Amino acid sequence: ILPGMTKGDGEAQLNYGDGEYALLRPGRFVRCAVSQKPIPLEVLRYWSVERQEPYAGPGEFLQRLQETR
């Protein structure tokens, strides 16, 4: 942990469910599975329950769907 940071300042680990997620490891953000951009948890709206991965927005979600077909 860097000076001035708490355990919850880094990357979180989540379990993605239908309409909600469970926090497995505290943190403030997750990384988009497509773009690798950090996504603050308070704005996280797109993820795949099946693949257990988050997306920065609908474009990244659709891109992943096309890649996996």
Side-chain angles (χ1 to χ4, degrees):
I1 298 175
L2 298 174
M5 291 181 72
T6 65
K7 287 183 180 181
D9 283 341
E11 190 168 352
Q13 184 177 2
L14 306 178
N15 181 13
Y16 302 97
D18 290 325
E20 62 185 17
Y21 55 80
L23 192 63
L24 300 177
R25 183 178 65 216
R28 293 191 180 200
F29 68 93
V30 291
R31 292 206 180 270
C32 175
V34 175
S35 68
Q36 298 304 308
K37 292 178 187 175
I39 310 164
L41 295 184
E42 59 269 13
V43 299
L44 177 63
R45 301 289 180 268
Y46 299 92
W47 62 80
S48 168
V49 175
E50 181 181 303
R51 293 181 190 86
Q52 287 294 297
E53 56 186 25
Y55 308 108
E60 289 84 355
F61 176 73
L62 291 173
Q63 182 178 339
R64 179 62 94 206
L65 282 178
Q66 291 172 348
E67 290 172 358
T68 57
R69 287 189 180 184

